[in-house]
Amino acid sequence: MTEAQNDAKNEEYIDSLKDEISYLREILASKLFEEDNLINFTCREIETDYSLKFGVYKYKIKDYKLKIKKTKRTIELIKKMVNQQSTNQFNKELSDLEENQIKINKTKINKPKINMSEIESHIENEFKEEDLELQTETAKVNILIEEHKNNLSKKQDFKELHTIYKDCIRKIHPDLLLEPTDYEENLFYSSKEAYEDRDLEELKSTQNLIIRHEIENELKTLEDYEKLRNKLEINIELEDKEISEIVNSKPYTQQKFLLDTKKVNNYREGLVTSLLEVEKEYIKINKDLSELKKENNLSYKLDLTKNNPNN
């Protein structure tokens, strides 16, 4: 085969690679957009719907359960501290006292001293992680609900936002380029951030920068084309796995349930019942704590909701 024939064959092969790369880029770009759209719109809307229907009930149930745990632990610590006090001397003296003096000694003058500040500090540290978890979940629910209200008031149409973001993906997504530069990666992630924030103006601004930018590491050799082709094939497989994981896990899998009115109502009724039960349990255990404090003349009020800004 002559050199001219060999060059012609390589050119033909490169042309076929270009067509294949173009096809693979389009497939991958579509999948990349699908993943981001699932995460930032579909799943977010499902989470919002779930929060609107059940969020308040679930938060209140968790809040009461945490209060119950704190109260039970407080009772346990008070009893432990009472038992640790040395009362033997008082008991000896009581046997020799007159009846009226016994009544006096039953007041807080001779009661064991309980350091309620110490107990409060212990409770605060022991339940710090659970307090933080509850606060985080509550904040997330409130953010979703507030976002929902804002979207309703704006009545925003996201069609243009989706179209522009798709264009940004096609032009400069790092997974679609052979060797993206730092600047190119920053450009794309700026568009991604604007898309996640649903900021159309910022996305348009970033798109203009992307349009004016020329890709620096263009394909030049046969090896470059083959390398990019292989990269695209691998990324398509990875993206398929990512999408599969999203659609086979929560919140996406809750979509069908949320559309079933009967199941939603039944679940809500169950949550209401659970809420009433834990509320009743908390009232009882709190009464037990009050009686224990009264028995030991503990006027210091332990704040079981100190770290919970929602109470």
Side-chain angles (χ1 to χ4, degrees), residues 132-154:
L132 181 60
E133 182 181 342
L134 182 61
Q135 290 173 33
T136 302
E137 289 183 17
T138 306
K140 184 178 180 180
V141 169
N142 290 336
I143 289 171
L144 289 170
I145 292 174
E146 190 63 31
E147 184 181 273
H148 174 72
K149 291 178 180 177
N150 290 337
N151 289 338
L152 286 178
S153 63
K154 292 179 182 178

Side-chain angles (χ1 to χ4, degrees), residues 9-25:
K9 187 175 181 179
N10 283 342
E11 285 296 326
E12 184 179 343
Y13 180 48
I14 288 176
D15 287 340
S16 68
L17 281 175
K18 286 180 179 179
D19 291 338
E20 187 177 2
I21 287 170
S22 178
Y23 173 71
L24 292 173
R25 269 180 167 163

Side-chain angles (χ1 to χ4, degrees), residues 113-124:
K113 295 181 180 179
I114 306 298
N115 189 337
M116 290 303 293
S117 294
E118 183 179 331
I119 290 178
E120 182 186 45
S121 178
H122 186 95
I123 293 293
E124 181 179 335

